């Protein structure tokens, strides 16, 4: 049998050991945040830290080549990032204007930012060029929980989760591969796997609403 080959066993052992060490902190992170996610009423703060600030916006950012009341999104986002104490990923910009000829009677720009355990809303009054920024931080545990879920954490982090999951699968498979030549240990291991699977299935059938 190929899996019993000495070379295959050697590589399986190496991969099993090195992957386990590479994923040591990662597995602990996902295990601990699994508990904090399952018990948010215990670990997540019910009183998030909310901060409101006012910021003057240069009039030049509230218009662009698209029109006098069409802001330059890239320049506006860059200005908010530098002067507005916001973080996370900005949303699309929503613009409301009430114009009489060339006169702006009323105008508002709104957007929001989202990050792990964080969000902010930005409202800009185009008539006064003043922004109101409300930032909400939900605490460290909320940050860790959102990282566990890959929520508002960016494409790179989502790839990190995917690759970590694949390495965990490889870790499990190499463990099974190492057990195969040890007939007695393998049989005992299969019994434990069967027991764990049955218990999981019974809990799902009998206890999950």
């Amino acid at each position: 049998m190929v899996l019993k080959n000495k070379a295959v066993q050697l590589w399986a052992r190496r991969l099993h050991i090195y992957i386990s060490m590479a994923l040591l902190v990662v597995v602990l992170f996902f295990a601990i945040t699994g508990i904090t996610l399952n018990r948010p009423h215990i670990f997540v703060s019910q009183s998030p830290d909310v901060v409101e600030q006012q910021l003057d916006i240069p009039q030049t950012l509230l218009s662009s080549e698209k029109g006098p009341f069409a802001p330059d999104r890239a320049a506006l986002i860059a200005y908010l990032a530098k002067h507005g104490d916001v973080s996370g990923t900005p949303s699309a910009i929503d613009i409301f204007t009430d114009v009489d000829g060339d006169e702006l009677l009323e105008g508002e720009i709104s957007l929001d930012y989202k990050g792990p355990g964080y969000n902010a809303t930005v409202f800009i009054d185009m008539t006064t060029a003043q922004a109101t920024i409300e930032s909400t931080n939900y605490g460290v545990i909320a940050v860790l929980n959102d990282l566990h879920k890959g929520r508002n954490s960016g494409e790179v982090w989502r790839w990190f989760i995917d690759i970590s999951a694949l390495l965990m699968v490889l870790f499990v498979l190499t463990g099974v591969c190492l057990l195969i030549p040890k007939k007695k240990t393998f049989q005992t291991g299969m019994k434990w796997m069967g027991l764990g699977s049955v218990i999981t299935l019974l809990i799902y059938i009998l206890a999950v609403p």
Side-chain angles (χ1 to χ4, degrees):
M1 187 177 181
V2 176
L3 295 180
K4 294 182 179 181
N5 183 278
K6 288 186 178 180
V8 173
Q9 286 290 305
L10 176 63
W11 277 105
R13 184 173 292 103
R14 287 177 177 173
L15 288 172
H16 191 74
I17 292 172
Y18 296 144
I19 290 174
S20 69
M21 295 310 298
L23 292 180
L24 177 62
V25 174
V26 177
V27 172
L28 286 174
F29 165 75
F30 282 108
I32 293 171
T33 52
I35 297 173
T36 59
L37 273 170
N38 196 44
R39 304 290 180 181
H41 57 286
I42 297 176
F43 297 102
V44 178
S45 172
Q46 299 300 314
S47 302
D49 182 21
V50 180
V51 176
E52 185 174 301
Q53 58 177 310
Q54 303 293 322
L55 179 68
D56 292 325
I57 306 294
Q59 284 285 354
T60 54
L61 297 179
L62 302 181
S63 60
S64 67
E65 57 186 18
K66 295 180 181 180
F69 310 120
D72 183 334
R73 181 183 185 277
L76 183 59
I77 293 297
Y79 185 85
L80 289 171
K82 184 176 181 180
H83 302 283
D85 192 22
V86 291
S87 60
T89 303
S91 68
I93 290 177
D94 291 324
I95 306 171
F96 165 77
T97 57
D98 184 7
V99 180
D100 183 9
D102 294 332
E103 183 183 359
L104 178 66
L105 301 178
E106 188 177 358
E108 183 181 78
I109 299 169
S110 62
L111 68 152
D112 56 48
Y113 288 77
K114 292 186 182 297
Y118 169 88
N119 64 62
T121 56
V122 180
F123 296 99
I124 302 173
D125 186 334
M126 297 178 71
T127 60
T128 61
Q130 188 173 68
T132 300
I133 304 172
E134 185 177 276
S135 303
T136 305
N137 288 281
Y138 295 91
V140 175
I141 298 299
V143 172
L144 297 177
N145 287 349
D146 281 352
L147 288 174
H148 181 110
K149 296 182 288 186
R151 180 185 181 189
N152 302 323
S153 52
E155 189 62 29
V156 173
W157 184 262
R158 283 194 288 270
W159 274 105
F160 173 77
I161 292 175
D162 291 341
I163 292 171
S164 297
L166 290 173
L167 288 174
M168 290 178 195
V169 171
L170 186 57
F171 170 74
V172 171
L173 293 178
T174 52
V176 174
C177 181
L178 290 173
L179 279 178
I180 287 176
K182 304 171 183 178
K183 188 174 181 180
K184 186 176 180 180
T185 306
F186 179 73
Q187 290 176 348
T188 303
M190 292 301 291
K191 291 177 181 177
W192 278 106
M193 184 192 74
L195 178 62
S197 300
V198 169
I199 291 174
T200 302
L201 184 60
L202 287 175
I203 290 174
Y204 173 73
I205 294 172
L206 301 177
V208 176

